Amino acid sequence: MKQPLIYFFSMLMACCITTKTFAQEPRIPEASSTQTLIQDFGLGKITITYSRPNVKGRKIFGGINPYGQVWRTGANSATTITFSENVIVEGNKVPAGTYSLFSIPEEKEWTIILNKTAKQWGAYGYKQEDDLLRFKVKSIYLSEKRETFTLQFANCTTKSNDLYIVWDHTGVIIHMQTDDDAQITANIEKLMLNPDVNKRPYFNAIQYYYENDKDLNKAMTWALEAEKIEPKAPWYKLWKARIQLKMGDKAKAIATAQEGIKLAKATDDEEYVRLNEAVITQAKN
């Protein structure tokens, strides 16, 4: 009985191997690789999907991408950009949604286009009547060549960021802002009413109010409350000192920062020693 069983299992393995071999399709890489960027922005996210062509020794703008013509801003399918929340793009309000990102390159400035037809191949089916928005931005000459077409986010804060379009020796910057300050403020106000003070987001609330030039008196009240809950926390001394400095009271800012340094040294927290020292330096200048 052993030989028939061995034969049966040998045939079964051969069938499995043969089936796997013939089931696989041959693959080749795309000439222009695809990339998806996801950037947190305010209460939401920005997602960009695009294909990345290479220069390959060609003349790009004014060459394979003629000046004055609509371009897919990448390769293959039109580049798409999705805003999960309402945003402001170069001063223009843009509702949450998915759009195709087209552009019209010129030698010294580009026209940037957000088109409401998100899924389309290249710019062949592009229709201007479907545009949500058009605006112009200056182009920049880059001394360092960028071989691969690149989109990237930079200078990202809770309220703004910049989208860079870079290829060959040309760069373009698109400025964006969040459109959710009112919602964020309302969320903070609600969370700070929690009867359990240990669950109130003191750190984030103080930081947001300070960095966005909101009610500093309210931020100071929160800092004083937080100090009582965590009296040995050098970070609350830091934010209290920063608020005092921003309100123009340099003497109190220095005194508070010195307290923060003492607390930070007690726990070998070099970062908060340095940050509190920076407040003192700023206050003395």
Side-chain angles (χ1 to χ4, degrees):
M1 289 297 292
K2 290 184 179 180
Q3 287 184 344
L5 283 174
I6 293 171
Y7 176 77
F8 171 77
F9 284 114
S10 298
M11 291 299 293
L12 181 62
M13 290 296 293
C15 289
C16 291
I17 294 169
T18 303
T19 302
K20 184 177 180 181
T21 302
F22 283 100
Q24 287 183 330
E25 294 289 338
R27 297 184 302 158
I28 57 173
E30 291 286 346
S32 300
S33 61
T34 300
Q35 183 179 58
T36 296
L37 304 175
I38 301 176
Q39 175 63 53
D40 288 348
F41 195 42
L43 293 175
K45 297 180 184 294
I46 303 173
T47 304
I48 298 177
T49 299
Y50 71 110
S51 294
R52 311 182 66 193
N54 291 299
V55 175
K56 297 180 180 179
R58 301 172 294 181
K59 179 177 175 60
I60 302 301
F61 300 112
I64 63 169
N65 292 330
Y67 290 133
Q69 292 188 17
V70 176
W71 178 44
R72 70 189 86 184
T73 319
N76 303 327
S77 296
T79 294
T80 60
I81 183 166
T82 300
F83 304 104
S84 66
E85 302 285 336
N86 298 341
V87 297
I88 300 170
V89 180
E90 288 291 344
N92 302 282
K93 291 193 173 185
V94 176
T98 300
Y99 307 95
S100 52
L101 177 63
F102 290 105
S103 55
I104 303 176
E106 296 286 1
E107 190 170 359
K108 294 185 178 180
E109 70 175 10
W110 286 26
T111 298
I112 305 297
I113 303 167
L114 294 184
N115 187 271
K116 291 178 283 188
T117 304
K119 294 183 179 180
Q120 48 186 308
W121 181 263
Y124 303 107
Y126 166 79
K127 295 179 181 178
Q128 186 171 346
E129 56 265 32
D130 291 335
D131 287 353
L132 172 78
L133 175 66
R134 280 185 171 217
F135 57 88
K136 293 182 182 294
V137 290
K138 298 294 183 183
S139 62
I140 305 167
Y141 176 78
L142 305 175
S143 57
E144 183 177 346
K145 176 183 174 181
R146 184 67 65 91
E147 172 67 23
T148 304
F149 175 67
T150 300
L151 299 178
Q152 64 188 60
F153 289 103
N155 307 317
C156 301
T157 71
T158 57
K159 293 190 68 175
S160 63
N161 70 35
D162 295 330
L163 175 62
Y164 282 66
I165 301 175
V166 181
W167 199 18
D168 197 14
H169 288 285
T170 300
V172 166
I173 304 173
I174 300 172
H175 304 292
M176 301 184 187
Q177 295 173 290
T178 57
D179 195 22
D180 51 19
D181 177 69
Q183 183 61 54
I184 293 172
T185 303
N187 291 348
I188 289 173
E189 297 285 347
K190 184 177 180 179
L191 291 168
M192 294 303 290
L193 291 175
N194 193 320
D196 186 347
V197 294
N198 292 305
K199 293 183 178 180
R200 293 177 184 175
Y202 283 106
F203 189 92
N204 290 342
I206 294 166
Q207 183 181 39
Y208 188 83
Y209 267 56
Y210 173 86
E211 291 182 346
N212 293 281
D213 297 318
K214 302 188 81 65
D215 189 341
L216 291 180
N217 289 312
K218 185 172 287 188
M220 177 59 75
T221 298
W222 291 336
L224 293 172
E225 291 175 3
E227 275 186 322
K228 293 177 182 177
I229 298 168
E230 294 186 69
K232 295 183 179 181
W235 42 88
Y236 287 128
K237 296 295 184 184
L238 171 67
W239 285 105
K240 180 182 174 182
R242 284 175 171 175
I243 294 168
Q244 289 169 329
L245 184 57
K246 203 168 192 178
M247 295 175 77
D249 196 334
K250 293 184 178 181
K252 285 186 177 180
I254 291 171
T256 301
Q258 287 172 338
E259 292 175 14
I261 292 169
K262 184 177 179 180
L263 290 172
K265 285 183 176 179
T267 56
D268 294 323
D269 192 331
E270 294 182 3
E271 180 183 7
Y272 277 94
V273 169
R274 176 177 53 81
L275 291 172
N276 277 286
E277 286 176 344
V279 174
I280 293 173
T281 300
Q282 188 178 357
K284 288 181 177 180
N285 290 337

